[in-house]
Amino acid sequence: MFDMLARQPDDPLLALIGLFRKDERPGKIDLGVGVYRDETGATPIFRAVKAAEKALLETQETKSYIGPEGDAAYLDRLWSLVAGTETGRAVAGVQTPGGSGALRLAADLLHGMGVRRILLGLPSWPNHASIFKAAGLEIVPYPFFDIPSQAVLFNRMIEALEGAGAGDAVLLHASCHNPSGGVLTLEQWREIAEIVERRGLLPLIDLAYQGFGRGLEEDVAGLRSLLAAVPEALVAVSSSKSFGLYRERTGAIYAVARTQALADTVRSNLASLARISYSMPPDHGAAVVRGILEDDTLKADWMRELDGMRARIRAIRQALAAGLKSRWPALAAMAGQEGMFSLLPLSEEQVLRLRADHGIYMPTSGRINIAGLKTSDVDAVVSRFIAL
Ligand code: LMR
């Protein structure tokens, strides 16, 4: 019966990993998948992660099951990082296989509770739409970012939110917008919260790059102001980038609710969705994060290393913006954008030409992972772009 299946295309982002690996040119440059790289081109393991892993090796006494909710101590510590220690809000969380797992559980939960539509600002991370569709939700797209002018289309976003119906969900990027790097001000977050509350929408906030924009606190300031203003919200958290745990698949989904009883009911639903999908989340990454966040010395060292990564990305951003604005004046705005990504105004044909002729890899959307560049590569890459 397998001949009834049609061959599926590779995921375009993940396929870049294989294409890049196969390219034997020594000067090739990977601006594709969103992983952090240092000045040597490596994706390092945080010192604090190594230390927490060593401690685990010595002290962990069993590999027995924990349960579909995952580790409560990981969930508590991570939530403090996201929401602060004194939120005064009822919350319940479930540990998930990465941020994608959190988004999928959230989408299944929404569908199960009768939500039919989710508003999605475009462009977005391509897997958002795929996950929501797979869960049976209808995507209501609206334009969020204009590539030629590098502007966040806030008025269009407001129009879309005002046009939504009570009971619709809305996907929001907490910060470090993927793929555009476009920034919402705190004032804009307040406006969004006001509409979400007034129109009875349910926000699902995707937080995948905490610490990679302006700082650990700054990157959740908008999210925190929204959580303080709305009765209910879902927050999908990824520990992949912030703790460099990519392949360990470490994340969480949280529900903020009007009462603790309601939050606990949401948790029981999330746990039962997990049970029929993958049963229980992988433990290792969460145990490492917990080990770091429970140890003041490791936590301080993790923050120092993260600060260094953010500073490196910001410096490369400035250099790219300064170089590229001679050809595209609007790209001066890249300097003020945040996170790993920006979107260049390139055609698919130009992206493929850069790949074929110069071994510069990026998705055909024109998104670049700024963290994929070494300082010493910036000038050469800028000249390649400008010569297109
Ligand atoms: C990306 O957007 O490149 C990352 O989030 C990796 C992924 O899973 O797509």
Side-chain angles (χ1 to χ4, degrees):
M1 289 166 75
F2 291 154
D3 52 8
M4 292 165 69
L5 288 170
R7 184 91 178 227
Q8 297 298 308
D10 291 336
D11 178 272
L13 261 178
L14 300 186
L16 282 176
I17 301 174
L19 290 175
F20 183 77
R21 207 172 278 149
K22 267 193 233 137
D23 190 329
E24 283 171 359
R25 288 172 284 184
K28 62 184 179 176
I29 289 176
D30 184 4
L31 308 181
V33 181
V35 294
Y36 177 81
R37 289 181 203 282
D38 63 18
E39 280 290 330
T40 71
T43 300
I45 300 174
F46 279 81
R47 292 181 300 263
V49 166
K50 276 283 185 202
E53 285 184 316
K54 274 199 190 108
L56 266 181
L57 187 64
E58 279 153 24
T59 60
Q60 195 173 49
E61 281 170 351
T62 178
K63 295 284 186 189
S64 181
Y65 294 127
I66 293 183
E69 294 94 346
D71 176 24
Y74 161 76
L75 289 163
D76 287 350
R77 292 278 175 175
L78 189 67
W79 184 245
S80 297
L81 204 62
V82 171
T85 41
E86 293 299 329
T87 66
R89 294 300 310 264
V91 66
V94 162
Q95 182 187 319
T96 56
S100 302
L103 288 164
R104 181 59 198 256
L105 277 198
D108 285 338
L109 179 87
L110 291 173
H111 187 256
M113 61 196 252
V115 171
R116 289 288 160 258
R117 311 188 327 151
I118 184 160
L119 277 75
L120 183 64
L122 295 181
S124 196
W125 181 51
N127 213 21
H128 278 144
S130 309
I131 288 173
F132 300 146
K133 274 189 209 144
L137 299 173
E138 180 194 335
I139 314 283
V140 182
Y142 66 88
F144 174 81
F145 186 82
D146 180 59
I147 301 173
S149 63
Q150 293 287 303
V152 169
L153 302 172
F154 188 63
N155 289 340
R156 304 293 293 274
M157 181 180 195
I158 293 302
E159 248 170 59
L161 295 178
E162 290 285 10
D168 284 347
V170 51
L171 187 280
L172 300 167
H173 296 235
S175 44
C176 302
H177 187 265
N178 179 5
S180 74
V183 178
L184 291 171
T185 64
L186 210 46
E187 190 43 50
Q188 290 172 327
W189 273 98
R190 289 200 190 98
E191 218 174 305
I192 292 167
E194 189 276 319
I195 303 173
V196 161
E197 202 267 333
R198 174 163 47 78
R199 296 203 64 81
L201 312 179
L202 181 57
L204 165 56
I205 307 158
D206 186 357
L207 173 61
Y209 294 89
Q210 189 178 0
F212 281 89
R214 281 156 213 268
L216 275 172
E217 296 282 310
E218 293 83 345
D219 293 350
V220 286
L223 177 155
R224 288 180 183 180
S225 79
L226 182 102
L227 291 186
V230 299
E232 296 179 334
L234 291 166
V235 184
V237 187
S238 169
S239 299
S240 298
K241 284 86 180 177
S242 304
F243 290 87
L245 285 165
Y246 311 89
R247 67 173 67 164
E248 301 295 353
R249 309 313 300 142
T250 310
I253 178 78
Y254 295 92
V256 172
R258 281 183 287 113
T259 65
Q260 194 56 48
L262 283 169
D264 291 342
T265 301
V266 180
R267 175 173 33 217
S268 72
N269 279 270
L270 291 167
S272 101
L273 289 167
R275 177 64 173 151
I276 56 171
S277 176
Y278 52 84
S279 188
M280 294 171 221
D283 173 67
H284 182 74
V288 166
V289 170
R290 172 184 173 173
I292 294 171
L293 296 181
E294 281 180 344
D295 180 314
D296 289 344
T297 312
L298 288 188
K299 186 175 174 189
D301 189 52
W302 163 68
M303 286 167 72
R304 243 191 321 276
E305 212 170 342
L306 189 58
D307 287 349
M309 292 179 176
R310 182 172 62 253
R312 196 185 95 72
I313 294 174
R314 288 182 76 88
I316 302 272
R317 259 191 186 287
Q318 311 299 322
L320 273 177
L324 293 172
K325 72 180 180 194
S326 65
R327 161 99 197 259
W328 296 284
L331 289 188
M334 274 178 67
Q337 292 166 357
E338 57 184 36
M340 279 193 198
F341 308 114
S342 280
L343 270 172
L344 303 187
L346 302 181
S347 66
E348 181 169 343
E349 188 271 321
Q350 287 173 315
V351 168
L352 295 178
R353 189 141 42 88
L354 281 168
R355 205 181 288 173
D357 294 353
H358 305 298
I360 298 175
Y361 285 74
M362 67 178 85
T364 51
S365 61
R367 186 190 81 170
I368 52 168
N369 172 17
I370 288 164
L373 271 178
K374 300 174 198 162
T375 308
S376 56
D377 286 336
V378 172
D379 288 347
V381 165
V382 164
S383 344
R384 297 294 185 207
F385 283 133
I386 286 178
L388 277 170

